[in-house]
Amino acid sequence: MLSHCRCFYLFRLFTFLFIRRVLEQRHYDVQLLGGLILHDGRLAEMATGEGKTLVATLPCYANALTGKSAFVITTNDYLARRDMEKMGQIHRFLGLSVGLIQSSMTEPERRKAYACDVVYVTNSELGFDYLRDNLALSQEQTVLPTAEKSGQFEGFCVVDEADSVLIDEARTPLIISKQVPAPAQKYQIANKLAGALKSGLHYDVDEKNKNIVLNQKAYQDCEDALSIQSLFEGPADGSGAWAPYVVNAVKAKELFTKDKDYTILEEDGNQVGIGIIDSFTGRVLDGRRWSDGLHQSIEAKEGIPVSERSQVIAKVTYQSLFRQFSRLSGMTGTAMTDAGELEKIYDLRVSPVPPALPVARRDYPDVCFRTRKAADDALVKEVIAVGGGESDGRPCLIGTTSVSQNGFGVKGGYRYLPLGFFYGPQIDIMLGYTKYNYCY
């Protein structure tokens, strides 16, 4: 540990004048502590605003000196570019090369970026590059550095917002698929069968794991309705057994709700498909589709023409992906509540880092209401309390969990805009005008 401390203190000494002159920042003692925690292969819990981005430069520099790449994982392209442009100046000043991976990059550009000493990349881009490399027919078609051991990433990795990536999205699979024709009539018949089946009588619903389990009565009733001997025997037309069609139809009926999990896409007034809604942002995920026939089952449920189905050819979860790094660490503002799970799954111990200065923020307890109407009334009162509706009032940004909640009608004539319909600079413009005193 002493050598690590010397390395970080030398880093701060060599870069002190550069960081102060160019970035107008420096590493505080608690940030050095955070760097030591990351370098030790642990997860640093640092409060928002404590400079986690600057902290990541410490272990990345130390580990890049070994000759193996250091990866900084962020949650979106904007953060990856911002961190690379700002913190990359430090690494370049110290003689290291810095790479950036963006979704629009070509294969040669990705290969060049991954070869750098320090690489800034999003979790999704890293995952899909990993899948494409595993589908490659030759070494020349791969972009990631070759590891000495098969199925392992060489080098150091620090995950920003680690609780979101390693816990919340841990079981979300990244999938590469191809489109194959879908038997539309079969999906429509399965949808009618699902409508006749009843929860508790024919199947049990597991909402936590987004799954349903059919019982023997369900199988028998479906086989009688279809006049077949078994739901698990595939017909001669090659469309596959009936069982997955029925299961997906029941899932679409019980587990997926319109305007919460998905929305209907329209073009020239016609319904053309289903758009998946991101549960975290409430925005429609452009180009994303459910696999294994689930997307087509939801289309059949909504009476939309059934599209081609996706056949999975490669799949990996974030949990499997990040466990392949030879050295893994992370940082976030909220990790102690998931400390046991992080240590069990990733062997990452959580270490809290104290703030550089005493926290001046006041944290109020959560308030629970029995009805949605009572919660909405309280929201309006809170907006009024901070000056909503006044010419010099303070804009309020309210996060919701579904698109339907974004359309909540605000009392008292206060204007609002659904945040899910605005992207990029428009959000800054929206929040910049005080006339929008109540924003979703």
Side-chain angles (χ1 to χ4, degrees), residues 24-264:
E24 298 182 355
Q25 295 176 326
R26 71 175 181 88
H27 289 102
Y28 290 94
D29 290 342
V30 292
Q31 290 178 316
L32 290 176
L33 176 61
L36 288 169
I37 290 172
L38 296 178
H39 188 69
D40 197 39
R42 289 179 282 166
L43 194 148
E45 183 186 70
M46 301 181 67
T48 302
E50 290 299 306
K52 292 188 288 291
T53 304
L54 188 61
V55 168
T57 60
L58 294 165
C60 286
Y61 168 73
N63 283 274
L65 294 178
T66 63
K68 298 176 182 178
S69 297
F71 294 84
V72 181
I73 309 298
T74 62
T75 54
N76 59 60
D77 277 354
Y78 165 74
L79 291 176
R81 176 174 290 278
R82 183 203 68 179
D83 294 351
M84 185 280 295
E85 290 176 347
K86 194 167 187 179
M87 300 303 155
Q89 299 177 65
I90 302 174
H91 297 300
R92 293 191 185 95
F93 174 76
L94 296 169
L96 299 179
S97 58
V98 182
L100 170 68
I101 302 296
Q102 299 278 270
S103 57
S104 58
M105 283 185 170
T106 62
E107 185 178 295
E109 291 173 332
R110 290 172 182 268
R111 189 179 299 109
K112 181 180 179 181
Y114 278 122
C116 293
D117 299 315
V118 180
V119 183
Y120 288 86
V121 59
T122 65
N123 50 331
S124 59
E125 288 300 318
L126 179 67
F128 282 117
D129 283 336
Y130 170 79
L131 291 177
R132 283 190 286 265
D133 276 10
N134 279 271
L135 293 173
L137 300 178
S138 65
Q139 189 66 39
E140 290 72 23
Q141 295 177 331
T142 63
V143 296
L144 289 166
T146 305
E148 294 179 2
K149 296 181 180 179
S150 177
Q152 185 183 72
F153 284 108
E154 290 281 60
F156 175 78
C157 174
V158 55
V159 182
D160 194 10
E161 301 298 340
D163 58 333
S164 175
V165 176
L166 301 181
I167 297 297
D168 298 341
E169 300 182 42
R171 299 178 63 182
T172 302
L174 298 175
I175 295 172
I176 293 180
S177 60
K178 64 179 181 180
Q179 300 300 111
V180 296
Q185 185 178 9
K186 210 164 186 176
Y187 282 105
Q188 293 162 358
I189 295 173
N191 179 61
K192 292 180 181 179
L193 287 173
L197 301 179
K198 302 186 184 313
S199 177
L201 178 63
H202 294 100
Y203 56 86
D204 296 317
V205 181
D206 183 357
E207 294 186 3
K208 181 180 179 180
N209 295 313
K210 287 270 188 182
N211 192 29
I212 62 100
V213 179
L214 300 179
N215 57 29
Q216 188 58 41
K217 179 173 177 55
Y219 288 121
Q220 186 62 54
D221 289 351
C222 288
E223 288 166 356
D224 292 342
L226 294 170
S227 300
I228 59 175
Q229 293 184 351
S230 174
L231 290 180
F232 297 94
E233 293 181 1
D237 61 7
S239 60
W242 276 97
Y245 291 90
V246 176
V247 169
N248 279 331
V250 177
K251 284 183 179 179
K253 169 188 170 184
E254 294 287 349
L255 299 173
F256 294 87
T257 306
K258 180 183 174 183
D259 290 335
K260 180 183 177 183
D261 300 299
Y262 65 90
T263 187
I264 297 178

